[in-house]
């Protein structure tokens, strides 16, 4: 694949082309930057570039004189089929124009490559199907891969930590979080979440004190309205169980006891997920968890603290896609 850089190109064009090249190389393309001799008109520039390079695709980016708009040209040298897309950056802050130009150009480029691919298949439909090797020479498979979502598997493993607290009740506890994800095609995911093995906050009362251990497990459904974005918002709901264990220490004549309780738990959460590299995401989430019956810490008949009415959880984790 060749990216055409018009002669005496504006610095914004050069910087945008470098960013676009980086995105395409990350998607698996072999990309070459080619300097064209003419910048007076896109068509002569693309024709000159086509004569200099034998490539599966020619891509040119031409900035308007005012620097606020651009044209993206995608040419198939074998068929001379040409797609032209307009990019308008008017209204963007000047310091962000290069970044916006590069992002929109890459998005339009991927869509244009898919359009050329579909057009090539439609034109070849009446004739006998070529052998697979010929198809792979006509349209690089890398172009198809670059249009896939970042994930390469429907299974993922998530590990991280969270801070669980019940406002006005049981104090904050740091918990380890492990999750198993299943993400079929589409904007809906399933998730099995386990949290525990963390710190034990202390509750003080008039007759003594107690440490509280908390752990829970949830089965969740999550919605990702825009799964194709690198920074993806996510919303989830879940059902499961909360386990609370209390170890009491009391002053004489009272006696500290150990008790534990299981409770039904319901959860709702929201957060964002960011793709770091192709198989690794980072996730930041906030959750509200309620339990029934909710746990209560008492000293004799005095209630000292209660939890999960609701409990708030903030978490940070990494997802590895298998």
């Amino acid at each position: 694949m060749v990216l055409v850089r018009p002669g005496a190109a504006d610095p914004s064009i050069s910087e945008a082309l470098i960013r676009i090249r980086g995105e395409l190389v990350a998607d698996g393309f072999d990309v070459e930057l080619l300097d064209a001799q003419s910048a007076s008109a896109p068509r002569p520039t693309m024709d000159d570039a086509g004569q200099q390079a034998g490539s599966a695709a020619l891509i040119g980016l031409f900035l308007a004189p005012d620097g606020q708009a651009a044209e993206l040209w995608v040419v198939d040298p074998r068929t001379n089929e040409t797609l032209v897309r307009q990019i308008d950056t008017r209204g963007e802050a000047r310091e962000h124009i290069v970044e916006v130009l590069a992002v929109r150009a890459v998005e339009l480029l991927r869509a244009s490559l898919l359009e050329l691919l579909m057009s090539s298949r439609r034109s070849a439909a009446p004739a006998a199907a070529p052998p697979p090797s010929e198809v792979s020479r006509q349209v690089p498979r890398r172009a198809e891969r670059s249009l896939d979502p970042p994930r390469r598997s429907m299974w993922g493993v998530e590990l991280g930590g969270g801070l669980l607290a019940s406002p006005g009740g049981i104090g904050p506890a740091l918990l380890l979080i492990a999750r198993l994800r299943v993400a079929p095609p589409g904007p809906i995911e399933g998730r099995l979440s386990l949290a525990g093995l963390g710190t034990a906050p202390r509750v003080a009362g008039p007759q003594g004190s107690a440490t509280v251990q908390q752990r829970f497990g949830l089965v969740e459904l999550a919605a990702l309205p825009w799964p194709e974005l690198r920074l993806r918002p996510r919303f989830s709901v879940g059902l499961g169980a909360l386990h609370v264990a209390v170890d009491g220490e009391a002053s004489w004549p009272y006696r500290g006891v150990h008790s534990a309780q299981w409770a039904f738990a319901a959860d709702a959460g929201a957060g964002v997920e960011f793709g770091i590299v192709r198989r690794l995401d980072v996730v930041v989430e906030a959750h509200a968890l309620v339990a029934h019956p909710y746990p209560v810490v008492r000293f004799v008949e005095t209630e000292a603290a209660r939890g999960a009415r609701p409990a708030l959880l903030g978490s940070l984790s990494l997802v590895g896609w298998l």
Side-chain angles (χ1 to χ4, degrees):
M1 176 175 293
V2 170
L3 273 173
V4 179
R5 177 168 51 199
D10 184 276
S12 297
I13 285 290
S14 298
E15 185 176 347
L17 286 172
I18 291 172
R19 293 196 181 196
I20 293 169
R21 182 181 184 276
E23 290 285 342
L24 295 175
V25 169
D27 282 345
F29 287 97
D30 294 323
V31 182
E32 177 185 356
L33 277 174
L34 181 65
D35 290 318
Q37 299 301 317
S38 172
S40 59
R43 173 56 70 182
T45 299
M46 299 302 288
D47 291 342
D48 290 344
Q51 295 173 5
Q52 297 178 51
S55 173
L58 288 174
I59 302 158
L61 187 63
F62 300 90
L63 191 68
D66 62 1
Q68 298 295 309
E71 281 189 353
L72 178 71
W73 284 58
V74 182
V75 180
D76 185 344
R78 294 173 305 278
T79 63
N80 204 34
E81 185 173 356
T82 302
L83 294 176
V84 180
R85 296 289 186 263
Q86 301 293 328
I87 304 173
D88 191 350
T89 57
R90 292 180 177 87
E92 301 290 343
R94 180 164 294 276
E95 61 271 18
H96 298 312
I97 284 181
V98 173
E99 179 182 356
V100 172
L101 185 64
V103 170
R104 293 182 184 174
V106 170
E107 292 174 350
L108 288 174
L109 174 58
R110 290 172 177 165
S112 299
L113 288 173
L114 179 60
E115 188 173 338
L116 285 176
L117 171 65
M118 300 304 295
S119 176
S120 175
R121 287 180 174 176
R122 285 195 299 268
S123 62
S133 60
E134 182 66 22
V135 174
S136 64
R137 286 196 300 271
Q138 291 176 0
V139 181
R141 293 182 182 179
R142 290 189 300 267
E144 293 179 274
R145 287 203 302 270
S146 69
L147 295 164
D148 293 339
R151 299 184 203 119
R152 287 294 171 263
S153 169
M154 64 183 294
W155 296 97
V157 175
E158 183 175 345
L159 297 174
L163 185 67
L164 179 69
S166 297
I170 299 172
L174 290 173
L175 303 179
L176 296 178
I177 298 174
R179 295 179 171 120
L180 177 65
R181 286 198 188 193
V182 56
I188 302 297
E189 290 184 0
R191 190 166 69 174
L192 175 63
S193 299
L194 300 174
L197 302 178
T199 60
R202 181 171 291 274
V203 177
Q207 294 87 16
S209 63
T211 57
V212 183
Q213 289 278 358
Q214 302 169 87
R215 57 183 66 91
F216 62 85
L218 297 169
V219 176
E220 299 176 88
L221 283 179
L224 286 81
W226 302 280
E228 72 282 357
L229 299 180
R230 175 168 288 186
L231 183 63
R232 303 179 289 274
R234 56 180 295 114
F235 307 92
S236 63
V237 293
L239 298 175
L242 171 70
H243 182 262
V244 178
V246 178
D247 288 299
E249 299 177 2
S251 304
W252 190 87
Y254 300 103
R255 179 172 59 90
V257 297
H258 170 83
S259 63
Q261 173 183 317
W262 285 96
F264 169 79
D267 173 271
V272 292
E273 185 171 322
F274 179 74
I276 303 175
V277 294
R278 201 162 188 79
R279 292 177 180 266
L280 188 65
D281 298 343
V282 62
V283 184
V284 179
E285 293 181 280
H287 292 257
L289 183 145
V290 294
H292 181 76
Y294 58 87
V296 178
V297 180
R298 290 190 175 91
F299 294 94
V300 189
E301 297 300 325
T302 303
E303 180 179 311
R306 62 179 61 179
R309 199 183 179 189
L312 303 180
L313 173 70
S315 66
L316 174 66
S317 55
L318 291 174
V319 184
W321 297 98
L322 306 179

